[in-house]
Amino acid sequence: TGKSMFALALAERTTGKVIKIDASFIRQFNENKMLKQFCLKLGADLIVLDDVDHFVGQLDQNQTFLYILESLKTMEHKTTVIMTVNDIARLNAAMLRPGRVDEIIEFKAPMKVQRTEFISRLLLEKFNFKINDEDLEKLVEATRGLTQAYIKEWVKFYLIEDREIEKVVESIKKRKANIKTANKKE
């Protein structure tokens, strides 16, 4: 849906230092809680904590993350922190209270018009390929409910599969079913 891309685009407009930290990097600070010192040394003006929901979940990770948020908030050098999550329900209420998280912006899956523009632009600008209207409509319809990251991969798949739209649409349907099953298991 573009959460990380939005955060990085915002970071490009920042004149100060920007640090992007993903969930796997946060895990490294789980034991020694050194993230504050790391960020202080770098003097970051903007910190992007990406895919936070992949890190939190167990009680010790929640506590560590709350410590990280509090530490960043109390730094002498005022730093703006942006977090991205795929599933906000995986975060507990203590993480989301004002003072820790002041603004929540929901990025929804792109609508039909947005998917049409995205797919057309992606094919033309990145791959120098113009899709016929019938295949474009099928691809747009098949990708309903998917994020731009997924759509981008399906556009690549479409090109790799010699533009066999029926094969691509069938693959998308199967993948959506797998995603739905995986989400139910969580």
Side-chain angles (χ1 to χ4, degrees), residues 4-95:
S4 299
M5 292 303 293
F6 172 80
L8 294 174
L10 184 62
E12 285 181 12
R13 295 175 186 259
T14 302
T15 56
K17 288 183 184 175
V18 177
I19 302 173
K20 181 182 180 281
I21 302 172
D22 68 9
S24 62
F25 190 71
I26 294 172
R27 278 191 191 98
Q28 294 176 15
F29 290 97
N30 192 16
E31 295 300 318
N32 58 21
K33 299 180 179 174
M34 297 293 292
L35 186 60
K36 180 178 179 179
Q37 288 75 16
F38 175 77
C39 293
L40 276 170
K41 270 192 171 169
L42 293 176
D45 296 296
L46 176 66
I47 299 172
V48 178
L49 300 174
D50 206 17
D51 293 331
V52 169
D53 54 327
H54 292 280
F55 168 72
V56 298
Q58 299 168 335
L59 183 59
D60 64 324
Q61 291 172 331
N62 285 333
Q63 295 303 326
T64 299
F65 192 69
L66 289 174
Y67 173 82
I68 289 169
L69 288 179
E70 290 300 319
S71 293
L72 294 175
K73 189 171 84 173
T74 60
M75 286 175 32
E76 295 160 20
H77 178 82
K78 289 302 173 198
T79 302
T80 300
V81 178
I82 296 176
M83 298 186 303
T84 69
V85 297
N86 292 304
D87 184 1
I88 198 165
R90 294 176 81 177
L91 304 182
N92 70 29
M95 290 178 197

Side-chain angles (χ1 to χ4, degrees), residues 61-174:
Q61 291 172 331
N62 285 333
Q63 295 303 326
T64 299
F65 192 69
L66 289 174
Y67 173 82
I68 289 169
L69 288 179
E70 290 300 319
S71 293
L72 294 175
K73 189 171 84 173
T74 60
M75 286 175 32
E76 295 160 20
H77 178 82
K78 289 302 173 198
T79 302
T80 300
V81 178
I82 296 176
M83 298 186 303
T84 69
V85 297
N86 292 304
D87 184 1
I88 198 165
R90 294 176 81 177
L91 304 182
N92 70 29
M95 290 178 197
L96 297 176
R97 76 165 169 77
R100 291 185 179 135
V101 174
D102 295 321
E103 184 83 29
I104 297 174
I105 303 170
E106 181 181 0
F107 288 77
K108 296 182 180 186
M111 297 173 66
K112 183 175 182 176
V113 170
Q114 295 163 324
R115 291 192 315 276
T116 303
E117 290 173 4
F118 180 68
I119 292 169
S120 297
R121 190 176 65 246
L122 185 63
L123 282 167
L124 198 56
E125 293 175 8
K126 185 161 177 127
F127 300 109
N128 198 26
F129 180 81
K130 177 135 175 52
I131 190 170
N132 69 52
D133 291 341
E134 185 179 325
D135 283 359
L136 175 62
E137 181 63 31
K138 289 178 182 177
L139 196 53
V140 166
E141 191 55 39
T143 57
R144 180 191 323 213
L146 297 179
T147 65
Q148 286 182 322
Y150 273 109
I151 294 169
K152 183 178 178 183
E153 294 306 313
W154 286 115
V155 167
K156 288 181 192 175
F157 187 73
Y158 170 80
L159 293 170
I160 291 168
E161 292 299 318
D162 296 322
R163 293 169 278 293
E164 292 182 37
I165 193 66
E166 300 309 324
K167 186 175 183 179
V168 175
V169 168
E170 190 57 36
S171 293
I172 293 172
K173 286 179 185 177
K174 286 179 184 175

